[in-house]
Amino acid sequence: MGIKKVLAIGGSDPSGGAGIQADIKTFVELGIYPYTALSAVTVQNSRGVSSYEILTAKLLHDQIASLLAETDIHAVKTGMLGSSENMIEVGNLIAQKAIGFTVIDPVLRANNGKSLVSEASLAVLKKRLLPHSFMVTPNLSEASCLTGVTIVSEHDFLKAAKILKDTGVAWVLIKGGHLEGTMAVDLLYDGEHEYYFEAKRVRRENVRGTGCMMASAICAYLVHGLEPDEAVDKAKAYVYNKINKAVLLGKGSLQALHFANSTSNSTSNNTNRGTDEQKTAEGYATTEAHKFIEGDACENRVDQ
């Protein structure tokens, strides 16, 4: 029984609500040891990002190389990369298959709308990063930016997912949380199968870092051995509960809590599909995290 290790690459959020800090807290709560490599330093609080500084590709390379020189990494999760050079660096890394699978959270804008990448970087992301990645997890705005598809209803999800799948990425998760309606619907697509995930929408003020938490939770569950659809199912339950129990710590958006006793069971009574080893998350997850591995997120899921 070995310790599962993941490398999170992204920007630092001094308020702890998003970015690398949200990744670290999610991985630890779900029984994963997180290594980190910073690609950017941001100036932000719960009201949003006011400025940021992109670190050089050489510095990013050196951070990662120092880790790989002494340990193995089971997976990579990326967030804000900030520059074409950093995307190329990460793309080269995962293309060499020196690290396990990669989950890409294509962070393009801050929650206050501030752009975090250039148009040139979008092209590099699609050509150099996605072809070597296992899963990409865009929200509706990010999916539209990456595909050119205007997404105004669930009918547009599959069109965008097919375009992203054509980049070479193995799995595409289109997150529909920003659509109106009583249910939050996501689509997971691998080129052959469509998995739709539905959960009752939580009517809360904006909660920061949900995209970071979702991608990190998916990555964690994949490392623990769950299938992609199961990992998304569990991650959706995890984030659902974080949103439901988020609190106001500053003067802007709500912040998720990652204490072991801050979470609850999943949002439905669907039966568990994991093995005993998966349920216990290799013995490192907290008791509350076990409950997420044992529960399902969706009120209804349709596999097509």
Side-chain angles (χ1 to χ4, degrees):
M1 182 184 295
I3 295 176
K4 304 297 187 181
K5 295 170 284 187
V6 167
L7 171 61
I9 305 173
S12 174
D13 172 8
S15 73
I20 285 289
Q21 285 83 347
D23 296 336
I24 291 172
K25 290 183 284 188
T26 299
F27 282 128
V28 169
E29 193 171 37
L30 295 180
I32 300 291
Y33 186 90
Y35 290 99
T36 62
L38 286 183
S39 57
V41 176
T42 71
V43 177
Q44 65 177 299
N45 55 28
S46 64
R47 293 176 175 176
V49 177
S50 56
S51 65
Y52 60 89
E53 189 77 24
I54 303 299
L55 302 186
T56 66
K58 182 182 185 306
L59 185 55
L60 179 59
H61 170 87
D62 290 348
Q63 291 177 77
I64 297 170
S66 69
L67 296 173
L68 294 180
E70 67 172 8
T71 190
D72 58 329
I73 302 292
H74 296 102
V76 176
K77 181 268 177 183
T78 71
M80 176 186 180
L81 296 177
S83 70
S84 299
E85 293 79 10
N86 282 347
M87 291 179 185
I88 291 171
E89 182 63 42
V90 176
N92 290 339
L93 170 71
I94 60 179
Q96 295 168 5
K97 303 186 185 303
I99 294 180
F101 64 86
T102 303
V103 175
I104 304 291
D105 178 17
V107 178
L108 307 182
R109 293 182 182 276
N111 69 329
N112 64 347
K114 187 176 182 64
S115 177
L116 301 176
V117 297
S118 65
E119 287 295 326
S121 295
L122 290 179
V124 173
L125 174 64
K126 290 185 285 186
K127 292 180 180 179
R128 299 293 295 270
L129 207 54
L130 293 187
H132 306 293
S133 300
F134 184 75
M135 188 181 294
V136 62
T137 65
N139 60 28
L140 298 185
S141 174
E142 292 160 347
S144 292
C145 285
L146 290 169
T147 65
V149 175
T150 300
I151 303 176
V152 296
S153 72
E154 294 171 22
H155 298 293
D156 302 314
F157 284 21
L158 186 57
K159 184 186 300 183
K162 287 182 176 179
I163 293 174
L164 285 172
K165 182 68 181 72
D166 286 343
T167 65
V169 64
W171 290 84
V172 178
L173 176 67
I174 305 290
K175 299 176 297 186
H178 292 159
L179 278 183
E180 294 296 324
T182 59
M183 304 295 288
V185 181
D186 302 334
L187 166 64
L188 180 66
Y189 180 67
D190 70 345
E192 296 183 4
H193 305 95
E194 303 164 34
Y195 300 89
Y196 289 88
F197 302 83
E198 295 182 347
K200 291 180 179 178
R201 189 177 301 279
V202 183
R203 295 297 181 184
R204 303 296 308 278
E205 298 297 326
N206 186 40
V207 180
R208 301 179 64 243
T210 54
C212 304
M213 290 185 286
M214 183 70 172
S216 293
I218 290 170
C219 189
Y221 288 126
L222 288 171
V223 169
H224 284 311
L226 274 67
E227 293 298 319
D229 61 312
E230 296 174 324
V232 171
D233 204 21
K234 312 305 181 190
K236 193 172 176 72
Y238 178 84
V239 175
Y240 178 96
N241 282 279
K242 293 303 179 189
I243 293 173
N244 198 41
K245 294 180 177 294
V247 298
L248 184 65
L249 298 178
K251 297 181 179 180
S253 299
L254 299 177
Q255 306 269 83
L257 297 178
H258 290 78
F259 309 128
N261 62 355
S262 68
T263 54
S264 64
N265 283 318
S266 61
T267 60
S268 79
N269 295 318
N270 292 350
T271 58
N272 173 50
R273 294 180 298 253
T275 65
D276 289 340
E277 182 179 18
Q278 291 163 353
K279 291 180 197 175
T280 57
E282 294 285 5
Y284 293 101
T286 65
T287 301
E288 293 296 328
H290 292 174
K291 294 179 182 178
F292 290 115
I293 297 173
E294 292 170 357
D296 280 343
C298 306
E299 291 293 327
N300 179 42
R301 193 187 76 186
V302 180
D303 301 348
Q304 298 183 348

